[in-house]
Structures are given as C-alpha cells and as structure tokens.
Amino acid sequence: MDKSTMPAPFSSHHDWYTSTLSSLSSTDGIAATHLYTYRHVLDGFSAVLSKSQLDQVEKMSGYIATYPETFGHLHTTHTPRFIGLKKHAGLWPAARFGDDMIIGIVDTGIWPESESFKDHGMPPVPKRWRGACEIGTAFNISNCNRKLIGARSFSKSLKESGKIISEHDYDSPRDFFGHGTHTSSTAAGSQVQGAEFFGYAKGAATGMAPQARLAMYKVLFVNDTYESAASDTLAGIDQAIEDGVDLMSLSLGFDETTYTHNPISLGAFTAMEKGIFVACSAGNSGPDAYSIFNGAPWITTVGAGTIDRDYVALVTLGKGITTFKGKSVYPENLFISGVPLYYGQGDKSKEICDHQSLDPKDVSGKIVFCAFTNDSDPYDQRIEVNRTGAAAAIFATDSPQSLDPYEFSFPFVAISPNDGEKVKEYFASTKQPTADIKFQITILGAKPAPQVADFSSRGPAPLSPWILKPDIMAPGVDVLAAWAPNVPFAQVGNNRLSSDYILLSGTSMSSPHLVGIAALLKSAHRDWSPAAIRSAIMTTADVVDNTNGVITDMATGKPGTPLDYGAGHVNPNKALDPGLIYDIKVDDYTNFLCALNYTRQQMVAITRRLNYSCECATLDLNYPSFIVILDNTNTTSYTFKRVLTNVANSKAVYMAAVSAPAGMKISIEPSLLSFDGKGSTAEFSLTVEVDLEGYGMQQSYIGNYGYLTWYEVKGKHVVRSPIVSAYAPQPQQS
C-alpha cells in the first residue's frame, strides 16, 4: 500500500489497513482476516481474502500490489540435496552419516560456539584419537566437545618472519576471519534448523558428514593480508597426522614450483602413505588454463561448480508491462514500488554509469538503469549510483553470477543483456517510466546446474601435466555455511551486518564438500585407500547438468571440458558402489617422482626414503583419467597401462566402450575384462593417437576429449574415465 495516501482520521497505517479490511463486503458472509501489519520490510499487510474481497482492495485508493501466498519447505544448505544425499537411502545411511570418521581442517581456525559444532546425540570421542584442544587467546579446553574434538594453532614461523598478527585476530584456534568455520561446517557440521543469510537460503543447514568429528589446525592469520607460513602449514599437517585424523581438507595454496617446495604436497604425501585422504582446493585463478594449485597426484584436487539455487530480485516495468528476474542478494526484505526509472540514454558514460557520470539532481530517489556494454562493470556502477542518492539500480551485465553476496550493500539487481534491451524498449515507449523491485527471493531448481565456476582453476597442472587435474568438481558457488559472527559480512548503507551463516564462493568451499563425501565413503569402506576413494568418486561422476546437457562453463557459456571439471561433478551415492576402482600404491608415486628426474635430495625430501629404486620410473600412474600431452609433431601417440580392481561382492565381466572426438583415435586391449570376485584385478592397455594436421588443429588447441567406459555385462556398474589431449608447459625440474 501507498501509506502516503492514508486518510487523516487514522493514527497509524495499521488502523487504516484493519479498517479497510472490515469494510469489505463478502458474498459468502466470511469476513477478511488480518494476519500481519508490516512496519519495516514493506508498507502493507497480509490477509486472508476471497476473490471478491481482493477485487475490492485492488480498486481502493493507495493500493499498489498484491502477492499471493507461497509456501516454503525445510531444506538443507541445499548442497547435500543437490548432490543426492538422502536420509533413508544411499550413502548417508550406508555410512552412518560419517560416524567415527575424524576430519582435519587446515584453515583460519574455528568459531566453536556455532550451532554447527554442537554435539547433541553424538557418541563418545573415538579412543584412537590422540589430539588435544589447546588453550590460547579466547579459547580453552571447554570449547571442544564430541563434535569438535581437537583444535590447535600454528603461528611460530609467521611471527618469527616479522609478520605481526593483527590485534583483531586470535593467536589461538579461534577463527577471526570466518573462513575455517565455513569450511568446517560444510564438511561435517551438525544439523542446524533455521539457518539463513538475511532471509536467503532459509532451511536446515548440515555438513556432508554430519556425524563425523572435526579437528581444526589453524595456520592462517591476519597480518597485512591473510597468510600462512609454509613451515607453520607443514607443522599443522604433521600434527594432524600425529593426532590421528582420517581425512584432511586444505582450502589454501602455495606457489607451484616443485613438490619439494610446497608444504601441502610434502605433507599430503606422508598423509597418503598413512592412509589419510587429502582433498585440496584447485585454486581461484580460472578461467585461464594451467592455473591449477595443489595438483600433486596424491592429492584429490577439487574444482568449483554452481548449484541449482539462485538469489534474485523481481523487476516489474510499469504496471506489469514486463517482469523478469535478476541476481540480487541485497540483505533486506525490500519492496520498491512505482519509483521513477532513470536511464541516461544518448550519453554513453551515463548509459554505463561510469565514475562521476551521473548528476545527483537527475537520479536522486529514482531507480537508475545502467545499460550493458563491453566496458561496463557492475562493481564500479554500484559505487557511482550509490554516490548519487538513487533509490535502487538495475545493471545489465553478462556476468551476474560473478557478483558476490557482500557486494550487494546497495539495493540493486543484475540482469542479463537481453533483459536490459527490454528496459531500453520500455523506456523509449513511455513518457513516465517506473519500475518495481522486490528483493530477497530464493529460487530452487535453477537451470542449468551445475556449471563450472568462472573462477575455478583449470588444467593442465603446471608441475605434472601428465595427470589430469582437477580431479573432480563439487559445489563451490554461494554455499551457505557457518561463520564467525564477530566479522560483519553484509552491509546496508553505512550499517555493517553480521550473521551466523553466510553465502561464500570459491574452491575453498568445494574442497570441504569433497572431503565430507570422502569421509562417508571411508566410513562405509574402511579398507579403501585414498586412491580407491578418489577413483570411486571420479569414475561415477556426472558429466551432464540438470538439463541433461554437457556441463557448461560460466566463463564462456559454452560446454566445458575435463580440463575445467575433471571427471565431472561428484555423485556420492554412485560412488558408494563403483564396481571397479583404479588403486595406486606408495611405490607407484615414488616411480612417478623418479620419472620427473627429481634429484636424490628431492626424492628423500618427499618420500623420506634413503633407499629407493627408480628402475620402474614412469609418468603413467594407475590414475582414473587419461591425458595425452601433445608435442610439436603433427601426430602424437601414447599407450597407457592400467589395472582395475573389483570392489563388488561378486564375479563380474566388463566390456569397454570408447567415444572419441575428431582427430583422436582410441583403441583398447583387451576390450573385455573378467573378475573372479572381490579384490580380483585385471590389466588393460589404452592407446590414444591424436592427428593434428589431418583436422587442421593449431598449436593453441587444447582440451579435445573423449571417454573410456567399462560397462558391466548383465550388471549395473558403469566405470567412466575422461581421455584428454592438450598442450602443456614442461614442469620445472630444479
């Protein structure tokens, strides 16, 4: 309602609304029922009305708009549902929700008071646990419980390097930044009812493995930036191994020089050797090729994808002439109605709302529309429009999904260039253009999803391009998880807002998703090695989205490739029963390092072995994916040798099928494999020949791919591996 039209006799708009409702006639004798009067989120009320009563209200002075009631349902943070986890079927119950698994998170610390780390109903801490809860600034032993069973902090090297920890941060396991709290709750947070981010993504939040235990190893601290010393990081990994974690997740990275110079690569090798599964973020340096971090073959490297949940505002031009949605995460339940629309057409600088291009006299109190051009930038536009005192803004952009929730400190909505053209057409056809914008809308079932996040780092891996990286893609865009409430994350005007749960994007979010799923698999299959778990995840991954099309790349809008998303998007229920796995032993990784021509010093640094043999040196690991590195000749051919292990409880026969793109010829020998029972193995060879000249391909060509799929004869199992050809830089061999 337009409360400025409230008649003088009423002392409040509440009285006006209730009086209006009482005056409505009814054909069935049932009076209109008043529910709520809204005093802040909008000017109006909610009521139960018959159709005839609604018709009467819509004809009254002051009426603006009516919205029919909608119904929400309790959801998780939604990523468990999106990837198929269910309470009563599949991996969750089979793994007892990750019971008895211990996940070590190496990150910025943890906020132990979060509801996500409550231990209600959890059994005693496993007796094998050797960890501790360290006392430190604003942190003591009582902060740990049967969920958060360990917490330690590592800052000695950082301080010794002359880096002064900010007075705001805690020299203890307590999280100041919030990042570690977010990743921890994503991996193994307990179920929390009523989680939300300022009205968005409402529901019940839960981690991937809600019955698993958590141990935090804080290695990142605020100084000039957020940094972690390599030796502190390595100490954290080392302590996690000593404490007895079953899995680790690290959402941080170091420069990719050699594996000996990377504390994560070094520590993860030892963890793998002791049967500890390690997942790491692939990095946020996409969409450029060769931008992978944490690409060591003994690490499961995780890229980031979107989910089928969007946060939008509804834009209506005029009196319902045109309605469309755009991205917005403005943290208020705001409805702006009938506001004049401003568009500085004819002046290019005003069209795109460049710095100092708008006059406050022209736009104050209006909705400003900023058209799309190749030069437009929503970040700069937001600053400019906010400066002028406008009521709100509509920005046309080709990359609305790249806007982070914290950027919506001003009420604006980002729409597509096509919808931007509709705004132009409406403005040109109307003397007094107006618009409505309704904020704080969450949409489920958005399509297409998943998509490869534009920021997600892409392969090939700089240090070891012979191993396809990333390995897998998991949710990493606008993920709702716990946060440190002392850190404001949103803003309305000059008011900074805090929340117990926030939406965050990055491969930092995808790695804890994956480690939580790995915890479920390890709980269900205690005898599986880290390589077996990775293989099960990779060979059962999804390569199509929810439109049944090839997973697309947000950065280009075109179909992605395994260099973007690895083996595909994780499907945890399928990974529970993969049929066959590609296993890798410690000696196989040692042979791989030998083939890199690493010096004795380097070999010992990584493997800690004084006596080793390089007689079987090879770059061809028993990996669940294949990549051919092209040379400078017109034709490149390579033969891979692999061993498959049956992990099903029965005999089986598998038949091979290959799909190859133009310019790639794939042959397999043998094409039929027989397995006697669980634990039996079978070998095969796969030869890939790439002909560049015959298909007019250029030196810049990268990412042509096919698939090898093993189908169980008269069975249900399907084991799929990507086959990619690409140019890659030679790794550094210092």
Side-chain angles (χ1 to χ4, degrees), residues 107-355:
D107 214 299
T108 67
I110 195 163
W111 193 266
E113 292 83 5
S114 170
E115 290 293 318
S116 289
F117 309 127
K118 300 300 181 185
D119 62 355
H120 301 308
M122 296 196 73
V125 176
K127 292 182 179 179
R128 58 192 171 85
W129 176 242
R130 302 181 296 273
C133 198
E134 293 182 350
I135 297 173
T137 307
F139 205 95
N140 55 56
I141 295 174
S142 63
N143 289 126
C144 288
N145 55 22
R146 288 173 293 176
K147 163 61 74 174
L148 178 61
I149 63 174
R152 300 181 186 269
S153 176
F154 302 86
S155 60
K156 291 180 181 179
S157 184
L158 189 71
K159 290 183 287 188
E160 289 294 326
S161 300
K163 304 285 187 178
I164 300 174
I165 297 176
S166 168
E167 62 180 355
H168 301 293
D169 201 350
Y170 307 96
D171 196 3
S172 75
R174 181 170 291 278
D175 191 5
F176 167 75
F177 180 54
H179 188 275
T181 300
H182 199 279
T183 56
S184 298
S185 61
T186 299
S190 301
Q191 188 176 84
V192 177
Q193 299 292 335
E196 63 175 85
F197 177 72
F198 300 104
Y200 296 94
K202 292 181 179 179
T206 186
M208 296 297 102
Q211 285 294 107
R213 319 306 175 111
L214 284 164
M216 170 54 63
Y217 299 87
K218 181 175 177 179
V219 300
L220 285 148
F221 296 83
V222 177
N223 38 76
D224 293 335
T225 59
Y226 242 103
E227 290 182 308
S228 172
S231 51
D232 289 335
T233 299
L234 197 57
I237 297 172
D238 187 77
Q239 188 64 59
I241 295 170
E242 171 67 24
D243 290 346
V245 302
D246 299 300
L247 310 97
M248 268 191 269
S249 176
L250 296 93
S251 292
L252 65 152
F254 290 80
D255 289 343
E256 296 284 293
T257 52
T258 65
Y259 294 136
T260 53
H261 286 76
N262 191 313
I264 297 175
S265 297
L266 286 171
F269 190 95
T270 305
M272 169 275 302
E273 197 171 22
K274 294 183 179 296
I276 300 170
F277 179 92
V278 180
C280 289
S281 51
N284 299 336
S285 299
D288 293 337
Y290 320 115
S291 57
I292 290 288
F293 287 81
N294 300 317
W298 47 88
I299 292 171
T300 298
T301 312
V302 193
T306 64
I307 62 175
D308 65 340
R309 182 171 62 186
D310 281 345
Y311 311 106
V312 304
L314 188 67
V315 177
T316 301
L317 301 179
K319 296 183 178 180
I321 294 175
T322 304
T323 299
F324 46 82
K325 297 185 291 289
K327 177 166 182 178
S328 185
V329 200
Y330 183 65
E332 273 195 318
N333 190 0
L334 183 64
F335 176 50
I336 300 174
S337 178
V339 176
L341 181 65
Y342 174 86
Y343 170 41
Q345 61 187 83
D347 184 330
K348 183 179 179 182
S349 65
K350 291 184 179 181
E351 283 190 28
I352 63 174
C353 307
D354 279 342
H355 177 63

